[in-house]
Amino acid sequence: MLAIVANRVPDPAAVAAVRWRMAQELFEHCAREDLVVYEQLIISGDAAAIATAWSYRREHGGLGEMFGRYIADWPVVRVGREWDAFRIATTDIMTRIAGRILSEERELYAHAERVLKRRAA
């Protein structure tokens, strides 16, 4: 998506296709993560892992809602008309999603690895 909005020339068709795939991936990721990672951390008995899992689980709904609002706020017709504003909005939401991913990798998955290693031992 960032590559698309890096162009000065609007490409609403490309935006629509990529955004649809991103929405599918985001919602599937959230559902899988909720079932696999959060549930395992919550039942782990590890206080730090449990607290982190609950915190991330609460924020997850917000991430999906935020992306849903972004899509609703930017129908394809508006994308073509207000390309420069769309580029800014897209960069902002991609930065937020990237920050969330980085945070999960650093904090959430670190707890998951620790809990799994403890179970294996």
Side-chain angles (χ1 to χ4, degrees):
M1 184 65 86
L2 290 174
I4 294 169
V5 298
N7 294 316
R8 298 286 305 156
V9 177
D11 191 351
V15 166
V18 171
R19 213 168 44 175
W20 174 249
R21 285 196 313 268
M22 285 184 65
Q24 287 178 308
E25 290 295 322
L26 179 64
F27 290 111
E28 287 174 17
H29 169 78
C30 289
R32 278 191 312 269
E33 197 164 80
D34 195 36
L35 289 174
V36 177
V37 178
Y38 299 151
E39 288 301 318
Q40 293 303 308
L41 292 178
I42 289 169
I43 65 170
S44 71
D46 181 297
I50 293 168
T52 300
W54 278 115
S55 174
Y56 274 85
R57 181 180 254 179
R58 279 190 303 274
E59 293 173 7
H60 237 154
L63 183 64
E65 288 172 13
M66 178 180 65
F67 197 75
R69 275 192 311 276
Y70 160 76
I71 291 173
D73 288 347
W74 289 99
V76 174
V77 173
R78 183 176 178 208
V79 167
R81 280 193 328 254
E82 300 177 39
W83 185 245
D84 288 334
F86 175 74
R87 294 170 72 207
I88 293 167
T90 299
T91 300
D92 178 57
I93 196 158
M94 294 299 113
T95 300
R96 289 176 172 191
I97 291 171
R100 171 61 186 233
I101 291 167
L102 185 59
S103 176
E104 286 178 355
E105 289 175 358
R106 287 183 178 163
E107 187 175 10
L108 186 69
Y109 297 142
H111 284 293
E113 285 180 32
R114 185 173 44 73
V115 165
L116 288 172
K117 284 180 184 176
R118 190 177 70 222
R119 280 189 193 155

